[in-house]
Amino acid sequence: MLLSLLFSNPIDGIIFLLAIALAIGVHEAAHAWSADKLGDNTAKLMGRASINPLVHLDPIGTLLFLIAGFGWGKPVPVNENRLRNNRDIILVAMAGPASNFCVAVVLSLIFRLIPVPGVQHVLATFIFINLSLMVFNLIPIPPLDGSKILRLFVSNSFYYMIEQYGFILILLLLLFLRIGNSGFGGWLVTIVQSLFTLLTGAHVSL
């Protein structure tokens, strides 16, 4: 996806890279910030409360963004024993997707206020990437943020068991999506496109 774009249209490719960098920086910084506010400053002390994407890039997650349009940043370390409440880890996890949604909403307002094609094209890219990161990370598979919701419904022992095989489960999911009738990530793209249209009133034309 992005790799081919960099060769066919370098300017759009660079815009995509910048959008991914901002989305990941905001997402992971939100995890670190919320953990700090809820009692654990581990990530903050490691410099992870910054929106600087260089401290948050995950090799596999970034590679998937480059080839598929979906991915994740390097997980923010959280010491759950230092959180004030046992379920605060869920709030920390949801802070990442929530931050991307907030960015998408703000940029969508600017998108509607500035009807200049070139500006809207750049904004559309940033909005789409933030929504993509949000939606993908809400999938309830470790180490994605959505997996923390599982802890409301399963035992800790079962959760920690599936957490050990998280990356294998993600690879299986990606393989399933790849061989599905809708193509790779088709249903995820549909959700992102629908949210994009809802926020901007326009259709995706990246």
Side-chain angles (χ1 to χ4, degrees):
M1 181 181 180
L2 181 52
L3 288 178
S4 61
L5 182 61
L6 282 170
F7 286 105
S8 62
N9 192 330
I11 294 179
D12 276 352
I14 292 173
I15 293 173
F16 256 85
L17 283 174
L18 292 174
I20 291 171
L22 174 66
I24 290 177
V26 169
H27 183 102
E28 299 303 334
H31 285 315
W33 179 85
S34 60
D36 180 55
K37 295 302 180 182
L38 292 170
D40 177 32
N41 64 351
T42 302
K44 182 180 180 180
L45 293 176
M46 296 175 64
R48 299 296 302 278
S50 168
I51 63 171
N52 178 5
L54 296 179
V55 302
H56 301 302
L57 293 182
D58 177 88
I60 298 177
T62 303
L63 178 62
L64 283 175
F65 250 126
L66 292 174
I67 64 178
F70 292 97
W72 58 86
K74 181 168 59 178
V76 167
V78 179
N79 185 343
E80 296 185 34
N81 293 325
R82 301 183 66 179
L83 297 175
R84 292 193 290 267
N85 186 289
N86 290 335
R87 295 190 175 182
D88 281 348
I89 186 62
I90 298 174
L91 297 178
V92 173
M94 291 302 101
S99 68
N100 291 124
F101 183 72
C102 289
V103 170
V105 169
V106 171
L107 294 181
S108 295
L109 292 175
I110 299 174
F111 180 95
R112 289 175 178 267
L113 292 172
I114 306 179
V116 179
V119 175
Q120 287 190 327
H121 177 71
V122 173
L123 289 172
T125 302
F126 277 73
I127 294 168
F128 186 84
I129 291 298
N130 273 277
L131 291 176
S132 296
L133 188 62
M134 178 192 75
V135 170
F136 187 77
N137 274 275
L138 286 175
I139 296 176
I141 295 178
L144 301 180
D145 299 326
S147 67
K148 299 300 186 292
I149 299 177
L150 286 177
R151 301 178 68 165
L152 295 174
F153 307 101
V154 300
S155 65
N156 287 335
S157 59
F158 179 78
Y159 177 81
Y160 292 133
M161 180 188 71
I162 64 173
E163 191 176 39
Q164 297 179 36
Y165 303 99
F167 282 108
I168 295 177
L169 293 174
I170 288 180
L171 291 177
L172 290 174
L173 170 66
L174 296 177
L175 177 62
F176 172 77
L177 294 173
R178 179 64 178 174
I179 64 177
N181 293 331
S182 59
F184 179 81
W187 63 280
L188 292 177
V189 172
T190 298
I191 294 174
V192 173
Q193 290 175 333
S194 298
L195 288 172
F196 180 93
T197 300
L198 179 65
L199 291 176
T200 65
H203 294 289
V204 179
S205 57
L206 303 179

